[in-house]
Amino acid sequence: MSELHRFIFEGLPVRGQWVRLTDAWQDVLRRRAANTQTGAYPPPVAQLLGELTAAAVLLRAGIKFDGALTLQIQGDGPLKLAVAEVQADLRLRATATLQGAAPAGAGLPELVNAHGRGRCLVVLDPAHRRHGQPPQQGVAALTEEGGAPLPDVAGVIEHYMRQSEQLDTTLVLAADAQAAAGLLIQRLPDNGGQRAADEGAEDGYRRIALLAQTAQRAELLGLDGMALLRRLFWQEKLLLLASPPGTSAPRFTCPCSRERVAAMLQGLGRQEVEAILREQGVVEVGCDFCGRQERFDAVDAAGLLFTPAQALMGGTQTLQ
Ligand SMILES: [Zn+2]
């Protein structure tokens, strides 16, 4: 079962979180594999999307905010788009769109920033957003200041947290076909009174961060939370924190519905929908997150758009 744990270290200005997605992540992969139009993700894409999803859970769980956090990579390489969305109660969904073959072993720079035009957005969307109010959006660079590519999702998020949030962050991520996992260590803002007498805050953070970085990929993916934390921090006074009220284990959920698709078609406009009907005979909309397919024939569409039904025959068209 998927799990998330929050912890601190007694006497040190350091906090941490550990996430391991098993069923939630396998759900994402299984739905994609069942989509006959796309088939399963190639391994480098599955790894990147799994790491992105684990990172999104860690960031979402680390802030006080009523709404969804989304990490969205817009790529200019074989990977066109990767999205991981996590709600306040840790319901999550994730998807990726390819526009070319992903070579075996390809990393983040080759997959999404082949021509230097890729970018990563960090989006906070309030649960009760007023009409017309845009979500909060930050841009995480895919390269360092000097232009050198950041090697992976963890590097991008660490860099973003330092630059945008002024928070020293160490992040270790891993994903495969069974699990997506991540360990995040963060320096707490110094409030002047929390330092251990014989040790500077700097040293405490560095020591914990170095220990976190010794986590091996197989350990991250294979050990459950307590076993991993005990192995890494056995000499430290680690205190587990209780989960905030209203949260439970991370799990896959897609809130899409026929009503939402209908609303989207209405937003698309009568002319556009009628053009698709003329060409294809039916409007078929697939949800990239869960694989749900909704079909609207001319009669359905007429009901939505209050236009005379145009009975036409033909194929199908998928809208994103
Ligand atoms: Zn869906």
Side-chain angles (χ1 to χ4, degrees):
M1 176 151 156
S2 302
E3 56 184 331
L4 172 83
H5 299 287
R6 301 167 171 83
F7 49 90
I8 53 173
F9 295 89
E10 194 178 297
L12 297 179
V14 180
R15 69 171 179 178
Q17 293 180 81
W18 156 247
V19 67
R20 182 161 170 266
L21 305 172
T22 51
D23 48 354
W25 174 236
Q26 290 162 18
D27 234 357
V28 171
L29 294 181
R30 185 174 50 75
R31 285 163 187 276
R32 174 68 174 213
N35 184 330
T36 51
Q37 286 176 7
T38 62
Y41 292 119
V45 173
Q47 182 181 338
L48 187 149
L49 186 64
E51 293 181 2
L52 194 72
T53 306
V57 174
L58 291 169
L59 294 187
R60 176 50 277 214
I63 52 172
K64 287 193 173 69
F65 169 71
D66 183 18
L69 182 142
T70 301
L71 290 178
Q72 183 182 106
I73 290 178
Q74 299 167 353
D76 68 354
L79 185 58
K80 185 181 175 191
L81 185 70
V83 182
E85 177 192 273
V86 185
Q87 304 291 332
D89 61 1
L90 304 184
R91 282 174 297 143
L92 64 88
R93 58 181 188 166
T95 186
T97 308
L98 289 153
Q99 58 189 355
L108 180 88
E110 304 82 55
L111 285 175
V112 307
N113 204 25
H115 309 287
R117 292 191 296 272
R119 60 184 197 151
C120 177
L121 303 178
V122 182
V123 184
L124 290 178
D125 194 1
H128 306 289
R129 186 148 54 91
R130 291 191 307 278
H131 187 68
Q133 177 194 3
Q136 264 177 273
Q137 190 170 293
V139 179
L142 298 177
T143 57
E144 294 186 51
E145 284 71 19
L150 290 160
D152 49 25
V153 173
V156 169
I157 301 300
E158 285 179 353
H159 185 261
Y160 174 76
M161 296 305 281
R162 253 194 326 272
Q163 297 296 316
S164 300
E165 312 289 326
Q166 278 82 50
L167 274 176
D168 275 338
T169 302
T170 296
L171 183 57
V172 193
L173 298 168
D176 64 8
Q178 300 302 317
L183 177 61
L184 178 140
I185 299 295
Q186 227 159 30
R187 185 204 304 278
L188 287 169
D190 183 19
N191 62 12
Q194 297 265 317
R195 297 181 179 196
D198 59 348
E199 178 176 46
E202 180 70 17
D203 295 342
Y205 169 74
R206 293 257 167 262
R207 190 177 75 238
I208 299 296
L210 282 173
L211 289 173
Q213 283 163 345
T214 65
Q216 301 295 306
R217 181 179 158 79
E219 294 176 318
L220 285 163
L221 294 172
L223 296 177
D224 71 14
M226 292 306 100
L228 182 90
L229 296 179
R230 272 198 297 272
R231 185 178 290 189
L232 292 176
F233 305 117
W234 64 278
Q235 284 184 308
E236 307 291 335
K237 289 183 179 138
L238 183 148
L239 306 172
L240 275 187
L241 302 177
S243 298
T247 58
S248 55
R251 64 212 176 279
F252 176 89
T253 310
C254 189
C256 74
S257 65
R258 187 167 175 87
E259 289 69 33
R260 285 189 188 213
V261 176
M264 191 207 79
L265 292 180
Q266 284 168 332
L268 205 57
R270 176 178 156 179
Q271 279 190 338
E272 188 75 17
V273 173
E274 286 181 347
I276 297 167
L277 281 171
R278 266 197 304 280
E279 201 179 311
Q280 312 285 348
V282 63
V283 182
E284 192 166 67
V285 182
C287 175
D288 284 343
F289 288 97
C290 68
R292 181 193 188 105
Q293 292 283 330
E294 290 294 345
R295 289 166 65 92
F296 292 82
D297 63 14
V299 177
D300 297 331
L304 280 179
L305 302 164
F306 307 104
T307 61
Q310 292 171 299
L312 294 161
M313 302 296 285
T316 64
Q317 172 151 343
T318 298
L319 298 177
Q320 297 288 315

